Amino acid sequence: MKILIIGGVAGGASAAARMRRLNEQAEIILFERGEHISFANCGLPYYIGGVIEKRKKLFVTSKKKMENRFNIDVRNLSEVIGIDRDKKEVSVKNLETNEIYTESYDKLILSPGAQPILPRFEGIEDAPVFTLRNIPDTDKIYDYIAVNKIKSAVVIGGGFIGIEMAENLTDRGIKVDLVDMQNQVMAPFDFEMAQFLHKELIDNKVNIHLEESVSRFDGNTVITNKRQIETELIILAIGVRGETKLAVDAGLEVNRNIVVNEQLQTSDPDIYAIGDAIEVKHYVSQASTIIPLAWPANRQGRIVADHISGKEISYLGTLGTSVAKVFELTAASTGLNEKALMNTGIDYGVIYVKKNNHAGYYPNPREIDLKVIYNKKDELILGAQAIGYEGTEKRIDVIATAIRFGAKVSELAEIEVAYAPPFNSAKDLVNIAGYIGDNQLNGYEFFMWNDVEELIKNKEFILDVRTKGEFEQGSVPTSINIPIDELRGRIDEVPKDKTIYVYCEVGQRAHIAASMLMSHDYRVLNLAGGYNIYKQSNYKW
């Protein structure tokens, strides 16, 4: 069997190595347009920032190693420029000699990756604009900063690459302005969670300009719909687009990206496609989507090799589990967020938990904010987001696993997590999310941070059960303060003829107050996430 693989990096290199482990006799040829067949895409910003000091650390494997260890014919600097499906052969251009030749195949694997979106902004040709996708891009940015002694930069786009570049440029002493046309950074997070990231960026002296679109460049000036920003370096990080030209030219089915089935076969069963260039099913919604992440690409590479080798195996979809470092914060998410659910008709519930990452009595506890979303009809978990410090991504990994195995939200309480004071509390954030979910599903009522404005307008009774000192430092407008430890003795101050909207800092004391009041026949709703989420959602800079 002769297998051709177009593209290396995560998906293609994984497919090649797995294919060889399964079949020692197969002829395997890997074509890579660039010089390097496998490198750490996700590490590129950290090399520019100096966190990764040695450039060679970015290379996962080499042409020589792939050839020697796996007996794979690796042809770098070789661009596949066409596919003839009838003849089952590809046309290849040697980029060093410009020679064009053909190579036949029994099975073909497309792993062409994606390229940065580069709009045709007026003046872009004369501006110091860079994108970041591969090693040559990295070298250009790194050298440009060093040679020109760059002191200011504009990063356009608040996704993973944009945020990581903003941090790493800041760490190099470069003044950074971050521009994004949305009202928040980091699209996998809902607005109130992204607000924690906005504050972290501002606290680290990144100037963020949201709901601003770039209109044009004028030399070293970035011109948006609201301002002009003078700069010495521009990083364009507004997203990527799958490299689908080969597939389109070959007549394969392509929508936004290459269409594949559960075995990752294209509309031609002898041609497979993997990685950033394909459409996948979202594991939760089952809708077609594009999720250009490293884990799916690696997993898909292995599955394709397995299927070609005769194994009955399917790719069941992508959750989109991801994590990013934002200065001191860790931001992780999995599954669907509220934005994705709002127009689906799904009746969903939302849970917020704020808790230390380990036992409070052990030195240096740090807080984690967790949001869990679930389907009220079948109780299945739909997604989760967490922002905090050490251990944040661990909680998302646990919930991603729970989603994969069909756990109901209340069953999060049953997860037996590892506990010792330096690592956790005996009752973990994930467990508490399960308890809250169980309460919600059994009639305990909550209201949300974005309901507050309407409650104030309607002159509803909003009860703050925090201490007087906490109340004086900031509160929900029009709320009445009766500290939880005084509530029993002052219960007559709470009107019986009104619904009571109660809150504390994170929800725990308000839960005690709600239970107390409900036992006296009050109707009570607890503010989900407490004043912590309300305050953060209204953060201004």
Side-chain angles (χ1 to χ4, degrees):
M1 182 182 292
K2 186 176 181 180
I3 300 142
L4 305 186
I5 302 171
I6 301 174
V9 196
S14 294
R18 175 65 172 170
M19 194 71 237
R20 175 56 73 219
R21 291 195 297 270
L22 294 173
N23 188 331
E24 185 62 28
Q25 286 71 45
E27 182 182 358
I28 304 170
I29 305 175
L30 189 154
F31 299 100
E32 169 55 49
R33 181 172 54 195
E35 180 182 354
H36 310 288
I37 63 164
S38 188
F39 57 90
N41 308 61
C42 301
L44 303 181
Y46 299 99
Y47 171 67
I48 292 171
V51 177
I52 298 171
E53 296 180 359
K54 295 182 179 179
R55 182 175 177 272
K56 66 180 181 181
K57 293 284 189 181
L58 296 171
F59 302 109
V60 178
T61 191
S62 65
K63 169 181 163 68
K64 183 178 180 180
K65 186 174 180 179
M66 286 289 281
E67 290 176 336
N68 292 343
R69 180 166 295 181
F70 295 104
N71 189 27
I72 291 167
D73 183 354
V74 177
R75 303 182 190 176
N76 57 348
L77 299 172
S78 297
E79 181 178 8
V80 176
I81 57 176
I83 302 168
D84 188 324
R85 291 165 53 196
D86 293 330
K87 293 182 179 179
K88 294 188 74 170
E89 64 181 26
V90 300
S91 298
V92 186
K93 182 178 183 180
N94 184 318
L95 298 180
E96 293 181 291
T97 66
N98 288 324
E99 172 198 2
I100 295 175
Y101 62 95
T102 60
E103 198 73 60
S104 64
Y105 65 85
D106 294 308
K107 301 292 182 182
L108 178 63
I109 303 171
L110 303 180
S111 181
Q115 57 185 343
I117 295 171
L118 192 62
R120 295 181 177 275
F121 291 120
E122 181 185 341
I124 194 169
E125 297 85 0
D126 301 317
V129 174
F130 296 83
T131 58
L132 180 63
R133 186 64 182 170
N134 53 34
I135 296 293
D137 292 342
T138 305
D139 291 339
K140 287 176 186 175
I141 297 170
Y142 191 94
D143 293 343
Y144 190 84
I145 291 171
V147 169
N148 295 282
K149 296 180 173 54
I150 298 300
K151 295 298 181 185
S152 64
V154 172
V155 176
I156 301 170
F160 287 94
I161 293 295
I163 293 294
E164 289 166 357
M165 283 302 300
E167 176 182 348
N168 281 281
L169 292 172
T170 298
D171 286 347
R172 287 193 62 164
I174 296 171
K175 173 183 166 291
V176 176
D177 286 80
L178 177 68
V179 178
D180 197 290
M181 67 188 300
Q182 304 300 323
N183 69 339
Q184 66 168 82
V185 300
M186 299 292 281
F189 294 87
D190 288 314
F191 174 77
E192 76 279 15
M193 299 297 285
Q195 284 277 66
F196 290 100
L197 304 180
H198 298 156
K199 184 176 186 303
E200 183 73 3
L201 290 163
I202 293 294
D203 287 349
N204 283 278
K205 298 183 170 48
V206 175
N207 301 313
I208 57 176
H209 312 290
L210 301 178
E211 297 184 287
E212 294 195 27
S213 55
V214 174
S215 56
R216 62 190 177 90
F217 301 112
D218 184 3
N220 281 31
T221 305
V222 178
I223 300 169
T224 77
N225 58 324
K226 294 183 180 179
R227 75 189 73 238
Q228 297 185 10
I229 308 170
E230 294 290 329
T231 188
E232 298 171 313
L233 170 70
I234 301 166
I235 303 293
L236 197 55
I238 60 176
V240 296
R241 181 182 292 115
E243 297 237 26
T244 60
K245 186 177 185 303
L246 265 180
V248 170
D249 291 347
L252 300 174
E253 184 180 355
V254 177
N255 288 330
R256 289 176 298 166
N257 266 0
I258 303 169
V259 176
V260 295
N261 62 15
E262 288 190 352
Q263 287 69 46
L264 301 167
Q265 292 166 299
T266 67
S267 51
D268 183 328
D270 290 323
I271 302 178
Y272 295 76
I274 58 178
D276 296 355
I278 70 169
E279 293 183 10
V280 295
K281 270 192 316 188
H282 194 286
Y283 185 80
V284 176
S285 68
Q286 295 296 295
S288 176
T289 188
I290 298 170
I291 302 179
L293 293 171
W295 183 90
N298 278 283
R299 177 65 181 149
Q300 291 157 13
R302 182 184 176 95
I303 284 177
V304 163
D306 284 356
H307 192 258
I308 290 173
S309 300
K311 292 179 178 287
E312 291 296 325
I313 192 165
S314 299
Y315 186 71
L316 301 179
T318 304
L319 268 173
T321 306
S322 59
V323 63
K325 179 181 178 294
V326 185
F327 291 96
E328 280 198 66
L329 288 179
T330 299
S333 68
T334 189
L336 299 174
N337 58 23
E338 273 198 87
K339 293 193 295 288
L341 288 163
M342 281 180 178
N343 298 317
T344 62
I346 295 172
D347 186 16
Y348 63 87
V350 175
I351 295 162
Y352 296 102
V353 183
K354 187 183 190 74
K355 200 172 190 296
N356 288 334
N357 59 350
H358 60 64
Y361 57 82
Y362 188 84
N364 303 316
R366 306 295 296 274
E367 291 176 329
I368 296 173
D369 281 273
L370 173 67
K371 177 178 183 177
V372 179
I373 308 169
Y374 66 93
N375 188 326
K376 289 183 178 179
K377 183 178 179 181
D378 57 20
E379 303 182 31
L380 294 177
I381 305 162
L382 299 171
Q385 303 155 45
I387 295 175
Y389 299 91
E390 185 179 0
T392 298
E393 75 288 350
K394 178 173 77 173
R395 275 65 183 201
I396 291 300
D397 288 342
V398 168
I399 295 173
T401 304
I403 293 173
R404 276 282 177 178
F405 290 100
K408 295 180 178 180
V409 66
S410 59
E411 291 175 331
L412 292 176
E414 303 295 331
I415 293 176
E416 189 173 344
V417 297
Y419 162 64
F423 305 105
N424 208 335
S425 298
K427 191 161 56 178
D428 186 69
L429 284 88
V430 172
N431 299 137
I432 294 172
Y435 294 135
I436 295 172
D438 185 63
N439 287 340
Q440 285 188 359
L441 291 163
N442 284 284
Y444 189 96
E445 296 182 89
F446 286 84
F447 66 106
M448 297 294 153
W449 63 270
N450 48 5
D451 296 326
V452 172
E453 186 176 344
E454 190 69 18
L455 297 178
I456 294 169
K457 180 181 175 184
N458 294 336
K459 299 181 179 178
E460 300 288 355
F461 191 89
I462 304 172
L463 176 63
D464 184 330
V465 296
R466 297 176 301 159
T467 66
K468 182 180 177 182
E470 288 175 293
F471 181 77
E472 290 173 348
Q473 288 176 11
S475 63
V476 173
T478 75
S479 60
I480 305 299
N481 179 225
I482 304 177
I484 181 64
D485 294 334
E486 300 176 18
L487 184 58
R488 281 188 180 86
R490 298 173 60 183
I491 199 165
D492 290 344
E493 297 177 33
V494 182
K496 261 290 184 62
D497 60 344
K498 281 181 169 285
T499 297
I500 309 304
Y501 296 89
V502 64
Y503 73 91
C504 64
E505 190 63 27
V506 299
Q508 186 176 17
R509 284 173 288 175
H511 173 58
I512 296 168
S515 299
M516 185 191 307
L517 291 168
M518 286 189 290
S519 71
H520 289 274
D521 298 322
Y522 286 85
R523 181 176 180 236
V524 186
L525 282 76
N526 188 348
L527 175 57
Y531 185 68
N532 166 63
I533 290 295
Y534 171 78
K535 177 179 66 176
Q536 204 60 45
S537 67
N538 287 282
Y539 170 70
K540 300 284 194 299
W541 60 88

